Structures are given as C-alpha cells and as structure tokens.
Amino acid sequence: MTEALKPALAFDSAQDLDELHAMLDGVRMKNGWAKPTPSLYPEPKRPFIPAHWRYADARAALHAAGRLVGTDRAERRNLIMANPVPGNDYGTTRTIVGAYQMVKSGEYARSHRHTPNAMRLILEGAPDAYTIVDGKRIPMLAGDVLLTPNWSYHGHDNQSGRDAYWIDFLDVPLAEYLGPIFFEIHPDTLEQSSEAAPLSPMRFAHSEYSVRVAALQDTSPGVKCLELGPPRLATFDRVIVQMAAGTRWNRPRTTVNQIYVVVKGSGTATSGEHAFDWNPGDMIAIPSWHDHHVHASSDATLLRVSDAPLMRMLGWERTALASR
C-alpha cells in the first residue's frame, strides 16, 4: 500500500462502535448513523415564532433616538424587529429583517450600497423627502413602496419640515448565512442628484397601486391581492392585500416566511396561541410553518413581504395542504 493510501489510524482494530467513534474524532470525521440530532425530519422545525410590533412604540422610540443618536454616529438610525426567541438579535424571520427608520427634518443619511436587497414602505413621508437610488431622487410619500436592489447606491435626504418614518426590509439574514456580504460607502457621502424621478421603476406609489388593487377580483371572499412588480427581487416579494371590513382570511402553514405591515385599517391576527391587535404602521411576523388568520375590523390595506420567490426558485415552496 502506498503512503498516500495508508489510513492515519488502524480503523480495523476497533472492537466496538465507541472505539470507532473515538478514532473518527481523531481524523475530524463524524459518523452519520448515531448523530445526536437528525439532519432530516418529517416537517420543518419552527425556531422563530409569530410576533407583533406596534408602530406607536417604534415611533416614540425613534423620536427619542432622534435626540440621542445622530446620523454621524450611526449608519442608519433604525430599530430592528428581532424575532423574540433565545439567541436571536437580528432576523425578523429566518431570511428577512424588518426595521423602523427615521430621518429627521433637514437631515440626510449617507449613501451606501451592499449585496443584500432592500425595500422600504413609507409610513410618514413628505414631498421634499427623497430616497436617492443610483443618482435618482425618488419621492417618499406615505404608503409608497421603494426598491433598492443589491449593489445599488442609496441614501436618504429629508428637506421637508417634518420627520420621515418608514420600514426597511432586507434579506441580510439570508446573505449573512450564505456569506456574500459586501458593503461600500459612496465617495460623495450623499450621492448628489438634481433629477427627481417620481415615475422611477423603483417606486410603487400608493396613489397608483391602491387604485389597481381595488379594481381586482377577490382572491378569496373580501380579500384582493396585488403583487407589486416588475421590477422584482429574487429573494423576497411585495404583495398588497386589501381586506373589506369584517373579513377573516385563513392562511395555511407554508414553508414561506412572511411579514405583514399595516398600511391602513385595524384588526386582529392569530397564530396558534399568539393573538395580536393591529393598527396602521404595525408589523407582524409569521415565520415558516405557522398557520395564521387575519381579521379586518375595518377596511384595511396590508403589505405582505415574503421569501416566496426564493422558495419557488429552489423548489421548496410547500403548504400543509400540498401532497408530500
């Protein structure tokens, strides 16, 4: 036997499995027949739980942060909605993070770019508040949905007379897990632009999509759904859900991670033992493999953000009603 084919240890001398396991540790190998936890299981685990965050709390906290944290001290003045499970301090779901952000009147947040995709829903904007995406000044008005695809420079400039508030969504938890995180600051700090682009394909204006969704047929009684796009992102989508007062929308378990934000209206959401009362600006996380029910107390509009495009691309989208 050549030296290259000679094993490092005399595995044939093992008299029992304990001895063999110890030898495997010596060559940095793990047995696949006696793992303490299985690699495969009958259905998905559920490490994250349904959760709810109130905009009333986030807004008040950001207002206080506006006195204490300047944009010169933080890349973004934001609040991360970390799923409240032990050991987690970032992801709202496994693949997506949602964060409330504020830029004060007369303030800007410097331009940067990164490999994760990003999107924002404007909660309180103004005609003179802009997101600058690749050199174009895109208005931020209440209810607008704005995209910043990966590696697009983007910054925020608020020259209005009031503070601007919104929610950011990013696929950073996914990108961190897979590894390809890259980040750069724009050489001009705030990318300069004099070109306003209200019709940018990166902007889905509330004034436009609210009319479109109202004209659609119900996808289920009292519920209309409109996916915003193109353009689209490969890792998460954006769907406008319009619900008539009194509607109850039953949603089955799915491998898709979902986050809802209330654009208009009020109601309740339940998932297992979790029950939430929601109002405008609130955020609700429904991690994968949790069924849920949404009830609208008044006419309501929700934005649902999910990793369905990613799950479909990988062939992993499945609901509890689908055959295995």
Side-chain angles (χ1 to χ4, degrees):
M1 179 183 297
T2 65
E3 194 65 26
L5 294 178
K6 184 179 179 180
L9 299 174
F11 289 99
D12 283 345
S13 68
Q15 299 300 306
D16 55 37
L17 281 176
D18 287 341
E19 191 172 348
L20 177 58
H21 292 166
M23 288 183 175
L24 289 172
D25 287 340
V27 292
R28 301 178 302 281
M29 296 181 184
K30 293 294 180 184
N31 73 80
W33 52 82
K35 288 175 81 276
T37 57
S39 301
L40 301 171
Y41 22 87
E43 61 181 40
K45 295 182 178 180
R46 303 193 296 178
F48 282 14
I49 63 174
H52 169 235
W53 297 269
R54 299 172 67 243
Y55 179 45
D57 297 329
R59 191 182 191 282
L62 284 172
H63 186 73
R67 293 185 291 103
L68 304 170
V69 181
T71 54
D72 58 330
R73 292 179 51 199
E75 188 59 39
R76 293 290 190 258
R77 185 193 293 111
N78 59 13
L79 299 172
I80 296 165
M81 302 302 104
N83 199 277
V85 293
N88 178 58
D89 62 1
Y90 189 63
T92 307
T93 68
R94 272 185 158 182
T95 57
I96 304 170
V97 63
Y100 289 90
Q101 184 174 167
M102 176 186 70
V103 173
K104 295 170 64 176
S105 171
E107 191 177 60
Y108 70 84
R110 67 183 183 176
S111 296
H112 63 212
R113 65 179 179 176
H114 40 67
T115 40
N117 294 291
M119 183 184 81
R120 53 198 43 83
L121 168 65
I122 310 305
L123 300 175
E124 299 179 50
D128 292 322
Y130 297 91
T131 285
I132 303 170
V133 181
D134 287 338
K136 305 291 179 62
R137 295 174 67 84
I138 302 175
M140 295 195 294
L141 300 178
D144 287 359
V145 177
L146 310 178
L147 298 185
T148 50
N150 76 84
W151 216 235
S152 295
Y153 277 117
H154 54 284
H156 314 301
D157 188 13
N158 184 9
Q159 298 307 312
S160 73
R162 57 181 184 267
D163 299 342
Y165 298 83
W166 62 85
I167 293 176
D168 292 316
F169 301 94
L170 300 96
D171 54 16
V172 172
L174 173 67
E176 283 184 335
Y177 181 76
L178 296 177
I181 295 282
F182 293 88
F183 172 83
E184 288 183 358
I185 301 298
H186 195 279
D188 296 333
T189 306
L190 179 67
E191 187 175 12
Q192 299 303 303
S193 173
S194 59
E195 181 183 352
L199 300 180
S200 167
M202 297 295 112
R203 179 187 182 220
F204 301 99
H206 176 264
S207 59
E208 188 271 337
Y209 73 67
S210 58
V211 174
R212 288 176 57 202
V213 69
L216 296 177
Q217 297 292 319
D218 287 2
T219 55
S220 63
V223 179
K224 302 175 187 291
C225 293
L226 172 68
E227 182 178 357
L228 299 180
R232 292 182 171 88
L233 304 174
T235 50
F236 60 87
D237 61 12
R238 62 225 53 85
V239 175
I240 299 299
V241 180
Q242 191 177 85
M243 300 182 66
T247 297
R248 177 182 168 90
W249 194 30
N250 300 319
R251 307 297 297 155
R253 285 178 295 168
T254 173
T255 51
V256 171
N257 292 280
Q258 303 171 77
I259 302 174
Y260 293 89
V261 177
V262 184
V263 179
K264 183 185 80 170
S266 60
T268 59
T270 59
S271 181
E273 74 265 18
H274 304 277
F276 314 118
D277 294 327
W278 47 263
N279 292 288
D282 288 7
M283 188 188 307
I284 301 165
I286 304 294
S288 66
W289 219 239
H290 288 270
D291 60 6
H292 60 287
H293 315 278
V294 184
H295 176 263
S297 303
S298 61
D299 290 346
T301 301
L302 309 175
L303 172 67
R304 187 185 70 200
V305 180
S306 81
D307 59 9
L310 175 68
M311 294 299 167
R312 290 187 196 122
M313 178 178 65
L314 297 172
W316 292 342
E317 183 182 25
R318 182 171 294 196
T319 71
L321 302 179
S323 59
R324 294 178 179 164

